[in-house]
Amino acid sequence: MERIHTTAENILEPIVSDLTTQDRIDLCSFHFFMETYQEEVNDIFQTELRKHPFIGQLMATVPLQVLSENKQRVVHNREQALLHDNWGPYVEDLREQGINLARIGIAFSTWYDMISVSLRHLETRLGEYTDNDFEKALPLMRGMRLFIDHSMCTIAETQLTYTATLLEKSRLQQEQYKISHRELIHAASHNLQEPLTRVKSLVDVILDEGK
């Protein structure tokens, strides 16, 4: 992954340091809840991705085995974050999403709308999972909100930073092009002056001889 100003360490430190003991309990509760409905939530999300005209075309070019391996990696890294407080690999996954969104020009709001469809479905499963017990559902809802907030902020921040990096690189390339263009014009003008001067001198000599 390309290095940008926002590194995994920059993002990771506030995530881990801000988590309370209750936050970690809530995140663990959310993990087990998410694990129960992982396949159907993933299917819904994949369907939303394929509906998008550009993302759908990209996905169609990726082998199914690669998509499956990517999904397994993300699920594993999410488990490491939620159960073992090892956020590094999962944050890298999120940063990769942000960079890819910037590269292909997909607005973060579009990405969030697709994820929201899966989240709304997941929320409908809360009652089933907790037997409509509000006390059981409360830590799951807190854990879900905390996890989604951290994840979406990481993706959005990375996308914005990477986009700014691309724009700055483009600006520098434009400046370099202008400098090279000016230098080329100057060199061409200078190189043309010498033959013209010689021609003028030759013409002057001919005219003098003809007098």
Side-chain angles (χ1 to χ4, degrees), residues 9 14 23 61 65 68 134 171 178 180 185:
E9 293 77 13
D23 288 337
T61 66
Q65 182 179 350
S68 177
F134 179 75
R171 185 186 68 80
K178 291 177 181 177
S180 299
I185 292 175

Side-chain angles (χ1 to χ4, degrees), residues 100-119:
N100 287 336
L101 289 178
R103 282 174 171 166
I104 63 180
I106 301 296
F108 174 77
S109 57
T110 300
W111 186 250
Y112 185 76
D113 286 344
M114 290 186 286
I115 291 176
S116 294
V117 175
S118 301
L119 293 178

